[in-house]
Amino acid sequence: MRNAIRQVAGSGCGSHLGLAYDVWAPVDASGKVPDAQRQGWLESLSRVTLPTGYAEAYKRWVDALKEENGRADEMETQTRLLIGHGNASPTDVGFTVHQTWGVPVIPGSALKGLLAHYVEAVYGPDPANPNDDDRASYVGVTWNNGRIVHGPGAVYGALFGAPAADQDDGCGLGERAGCVVFHDAWLVPDGVKTLPVAPDVLTVHQKEYYDSNGQSLPNDYGSPVPVAFLTVRPQTKFLVALSGDPAWTEFAMTMLRDALAEWGVGGKTAAGYGRMRFVSSSVRPDRLADMDPRVKPFLDWTKSDAVRDLTARPRERAVRQQWLAQLKALPPEARADAEKVIKSFLKNNKAGQKQLCQALHATSP
């Protein structure tokens, strides 16, 4: 089967880096890429071009984030990035890419795990002052013999959710989801023609020790074993995206920036891999709660039980019949806020959004 796939793909690597790395790899009978071929093969993978259509898909994803009131920052790698190194691979070192497009991607689970660890370590309880109530809000769950004894603190639980626990430390969280959704970070396609990947080398100095799970003692006469693998180049931009309650996403993004800069994400962070710096805020949510107070009655109405269960068309009719005349009488700055509420309330009805917004601004008060 592998030979048949290779014949279909031809002598090149194709345009999907994930297939080239995992499926089309020139493995031998042992299922591994021979050492003599490894470096040249990885060099050929570093010449894979950005897939046709990826830029359009990226734009659709960004538009979807805006519709969902998401929050996204462009972050740039300052050092090499290694994501998914523990995945199974013909090179013994895995590499995570987008399943559809085959471009490097940072899983949302990796970002969430990084921030959860960072929040507890940096903001959590101080051993020198264990009774600090403010720091207790940032503590994670407490385990004992495989059971979760205590739930997380209030802030930690709001950010990441809370599992079922024997006790909740009085925070009243119980079992619940977090307020923030961590999306996969997509590669920013601007100016990218060839995928920003490059071969790297990890040299194992104590192979017998690791292979034996510590049964063979480390020594100073073993032969070093270099292992080549792929990494993401420095100065590569990713869009790190969160969604959920705007107050919590803003709070989480601020700390996530610090975590990416100080700790890094992915593998080999202790060796300096995975560091990223903030570039710009590409997507920011509309803060509906901060809008003109003259629009607040309309905002409150959109959240009321009377209209919450209405489908798209009845929602549009209700706004037109009950609110449009009042909203049109507002000054321009208040009507701009009213337009934001309409778009949020009718997010599944694009045609209705357009018609109502045009009617809203058609005649000056």
Side-chain angles (χ1 to χ4, degrees):
M1 177 61 74
R2 183 177 293 273
N3 290 333
I5 292 174
R6 191 175 293 118
Q7 290 174 8
V8 172
S11 57
C13 296
S15 61
H16 194 291
L17 183 62
L19 292 176
Y21 195 71
D22 294 327
V23 178
W24 298 334
V27 298
D28 57 18
S30 68
K32 300 297 179 183
V33 178
D35 293 339
Q37 296 180 249
R38 188 186 299 252
Q39 188 64 32
W41 172 63
L42 291 176
E43 290 287 354
S44 69
L45 295 182
S46 67
R47 295 189 289 272
V48 173
T49 58
L50 188 73
T52 302
Y54 175 73
E56 290 79 2
Y58 175 85
K59 183 179 182 303
R60 290 194 299 270
W61 177 63
V62 172
D63 290 343
L65 286 173
K66 293 177 180 178
E67 291 294 331
E68 293 299 321
N69 221 23
R71 172 78 169 83
D73 285 354
E74 282 191 13
M75 303 289 293
E76 183 180 68
T77 56
Q78 297 299 285
T79 58
R80 295 202 174 199
L81 172 67
L82 177 57
I83 291 291
H85 70 292
N87 299 345
S89 168
T91 64
D92 293 319
V93 182
F95 189 70
T96 297
V97 298
H98 193 283
Q99 288 189 334
T100 303
W101 295 103
V103 303
V105 66
I106 305 176
S109 57
L111 295 169
K112 183 175 183 178
L114 165 67
L115 185 59
H117 189 193
Y118 182 83
V119 164
E120 185 168 21
V122 175
Y123 297 97
D126 182 358
N129 187 14
N131 296 320
D132 188 333
D133 292 337
D134 290 335
R135 282 184 169 267
S137 296
Y138 294 88
V139 70
V141 299
T142 303
W143 293 80
N144 185 21
N145 294 326
R147 290 182 60 84
I148 299 177
V149 180
H150 296 288
V155 174
Y156 188 101
L159 285 170
F160 310 110
D166 295 341
Q167 302 176 34
D168 64 10
D169 291 336
C171 295
L173 291 176
E175 187 175 6
R176 56 169 288 184
C179 295
V180 180
V181 176
F182 293 76
H183 298 276
D184 293 347
W186 283 39
L187 174 72
V188 178
D190 297 345
V192 176
K193 296 181 179 179
T194 303
L195 293 186
V197 298
D200 204 339
V201 176
L202 169 68
T203 302
V204 181
H205 289 270
Q206 302 293 339
K207 188 174 187 302
E208 292 185 6
Y209 168 75
Y210 291 113
D211 287 347
S212 66
N213 293 322
Q215 297 301 310
S216 176
L217 295 178
N219 57 70
D220 57 2
Y221 51 81
S223 298
V225 181
V227 179
F229 53 93
L230 277 185
T231 57
V232 178
R233 296 177 184 273
Q235 299 181 341
T236 299
K237 293 180 182 178
F238 289 89
L239 190 67
V240 176
L242 309 175
S243 63
D245 182 278
W248 284 109
T249 56
E250 186 72 26
F251 181 56
M253 185 64 81
T254 300
M255 292 189 292
L256 185 55
R257 286 187 202 169
D258 294 339
L260 289 168
E262 297 171 14
W263 285 18
V265 67
K268 293 174 65 66
T269 53
Y273 284 58
R275 301 297 192 274
M276 305 182 78
R277 74 173 183 89
F278 169 73
V279 177
S280 65
S281 293
S282 298
V283 179
R284 282 187 174 274
D286 290 327
R287 295 297 299 272
L288 298 180
D290 297 336
M291 61 180 45
D292 192 298
R294 288 167 289 188
V295 182
K296 193 172 186 305
F298 175 49
L299 174 62
D300 292 340
W301 175 81
T302 64
K303 297 179 179 180
S304 67
D305 293 337
V307 296
R308 185 175 301 166
D309 296 329
L310 293 179
T311 55
R313 291 295 179 83
R315 284 189 173 201
E316 178 188 349
R317 287 196 296 269
V319 173
R320 190 178 297 277
Q321 294 169 4
Q322 300 181 42
W323 287 96
L324 186 57
Q326 300 177 47
L327 299 175
K328 287 178 66 174
L330 296 174
E333 64 274 14
R335 274 184 280 145
D337 283 345
E339 180 177 341
K340 295 177 183 179
V341 178
I342 289 172
K343 289 182 176 179
S344 176
F345 185 55
L346 301 178
K347 62 183 179 181
N348 296 323
N349 183 1
K350 302 296 184 183
Q353 284 183 19
K354 183 177 180 179
Q355 293 172 9
L356 281 176
C357 291
Q358 287 177 344
L360 178 66
H361 300 293
T363 304
S364 299

